Amino acid sequence: MDKLVSDQAEGLRRLLARSGSRVIAVTGGSLGAGCTATVMNLAVALAQQGKDVLVIDECVGDKSVSAMLGSVRGAGNFAAVMRGAGNFAAVMRGEMTLDEAALRHALGFSVLAASRAHREGYSAAQFSVVLRGSADIVLIDAQLDQQGHLSALAMQAHDVMIVTRMAAQAITDAYACMKRLHYAHAIAQFRVLVNHVQSVEDARTAFANLAGVAGRYLAVALEDAGCIAADARMARAEELSRCVVDAFPSTPAARDFRHLAAELQYWPMRPAMSSQTPWMAPAAVTAAQHADQPSAQHA
C-alpha cells in the first residue's frame, strides 16, 4: 500500500510539473559566480532526465552558452553565433518559428541567442511566443543592464536564481544584486545557489546568513536552491568546451547539478514576475535604493 501511495504521489507531482513551461532566470552579483556554467550544466542534466529544455542566451559573447558549446548545430564558432543572433527578433516578428530559430545541441537541448539589440521593444505577449512554447523548462542566462536590472524578457520568468560563490565579497555582491532587483522590480523572493563550495555545511551557513540579512533589511524571502561542489573538473570541462555533467559525470559537481535539475522541476510554480510587478519610475527606484537600508557589507 505504501508503494502504491508513493507511486501515485510521484505521478501527481509529475502531472503538476507539466502545467506549462517553467521559466527560470539565472544571474549573479559578480563576475565569476558561474551563472553561464550553471545554465549549461542544468540544461544538460535536465535533458538527460527527459526534459525538453530551451536556453535563452542573453549574454551573447565568446564565453556564452551559444559560443562555448561548439557542438551546437550551426554554431561552430562565435561568428556563426552572431549571425544567428537575429533569429530571436525574427521569431518576435513572426518571420521564423521557434523550432526554426533555436539551435539544437547534440546533448538534447535548444539554444536561442537574444542579444540586447534584438530583444528590445517587444511586449510580454510577444515574448510568450518564445517562453510559452513546447519546452518543459526555459533557462534564461540573464544579462543585467548598467543599473543592475533585469531585461523585459527575463522579467517573464517565474523564478530568479542568484548564483554566488563562497567568498565573502561574492556573498556581499549577491546581496547587493538582490537589493537592486528588489527595488527595481519588486521581487519578493529569490532562489540562491551557492557555487564552488568545500562542504554542504559551509553552504548552508552562508545561505542562512544571507537569508537572515535579506529578510531583516529587505523583507525578501530566500529559497535554498542547494550548492555545487568545488571541482577542478569544472575548469577542465570549460577548456574542452564541454559541460562537467557530460564530460565528467561521476564528479561531485556533476552529481550536484543533476540533483538540482531533479529538484527544480518540483519547485512551486509562481506567476511570472512581470504579472506581479507594479511600475516604478526610475527616480523612485533610485530613491528606494538609497533609502535607510544597510550597506551590502552586512551580508
Side-chain angles (χ1 to χ4, degrees):
M1 177 64 71
D2 288 343
K3 184 178 186 305
L4 176 61
V5 172
S6 176
D7 289 346
Q8 290 174 335
E10 177 64 15
L12 180 58
R13 291 175 74 194
R14 292 184 181 279
L15 179 63
L16 292 174
R18 287 286 299 172
S19 58
S21 298
R22 178 185 297 278
V23 184
I24 302 170
V26 180
T27 190
S30 56
L31 293 174
C35 299
T36 296
T38 295
V39 169
M40 290 192 297
N41 280 284
L42 279 180
V44 175
L46 286 162
Q48 289 177 349
Q49 294 170 17
K51 297 300 176 183
D52 186 351
V53 182
L54 173 64
V55 173
I56 304 292
D57 183 7
E58 288 193 345
C59 303
V60 178
D62 59 358
K63 294 295 185 181
S64 67
V65 176
S66 304
M68 290 182 67
L69 294 178
S71 56
V72 174
R73 188 184 68 224
N77 55 56
F78 180 56
V81 171
M82 294 309 295
R83 286 196 300 271
N87 288 0
F88 183 87
V91 174
M92 294 295 95
R93 295 192 299 265
E95 298 170 1
M96 297 179 72
T97 68
L98 180 57
D99 288 341
E100 292 170 340
L103 302 172
R104 189 73 176 174
H105 191 273
L107 293 174
F109 64 94
S110 299
V111 182
L112 183 62
S115 64
R116 181 178 286 112
H118 291 103
R119 66 174 183 264
E120 291 181 342
Y122 297 105
S123 66
Q126 289 170 306
F127 286 140
S128 70
V129 175
V130 173
L131 301 178
R132 304 295 180 264
S134 61
D136 298 308
I137 297 173
V138 178
L139 300 175
I140 303 176
D141 193 4
Q143 182 183 49
L144 303 182
D145 66 17
Q146 292 182 341
Q147 288 73 45
H149 302 167
L150 292 167
S151 70
L153 172 63
M155 279 301 298
Q156 308 306 309
H158 303 105
D159 289 282
V160 175
M161 184 162 68
I162 305 293
V163 182
T164 185
R165 292 171 68 100
M166 282 295 302
Q169 186 59 53
I171 297 293
T172 300
D173 290 343
Y175 174 80
C177 176
M178 289 186 286
K179 181 177 178 179
R180 289 191 300 271
L181 293 176
H182 171 63
Y183 284 117
H185 307 299
I187 300 173
Q189 187 172 59
F190 296 92
R191 303 271 178 183
V192 177
L193 178 68
V194 185
N195 197 12
H196 203 74
V197 305
Q198 298 296 329
S199 72
V200 175
E201 290 72 22
D202 288 346
R204 287 174 177 166
T205 299
F207 172 80
N209 291 340
L210 187 57
V213 172
R216 178 179 179 184
Y217 294 107
L218 299 178
V220 165
L222 303 188
E223 296 288 338
D224 190 356
C227 61
I228 306 298
D231 192 334
R233 296 296 180 183
M234 285 284 292
R236 181 55 183 154
E238 183 176 332
E239 292 170 0
L240 297 170
S241 294
R242 302 272 299 277
C243 293
V244 72
V245 169
D246 169 54
F248 307 110
S250 64
T251 58
R255 292 196 295 268
D256 288 341
F257 279 119
R258 288 195 298 271
H259 178 74
L260 173 58
E263 289 296 313
L264 70 78
Q265 299 172 45
Y266 305 117
W267 290 350
M269 183 73 88
R270 303 183 183 89
M273 290 179 295
S274 59
S275 67
Q276 309 173 55
T277 305
W279 181 81
M280 183 181 289
V285 173
T286 302
Q289 290 174 333
H290 293 285
D292 185 20
Q293 298 292 333
S295 65
Q297 66 184 6
H298 288 285

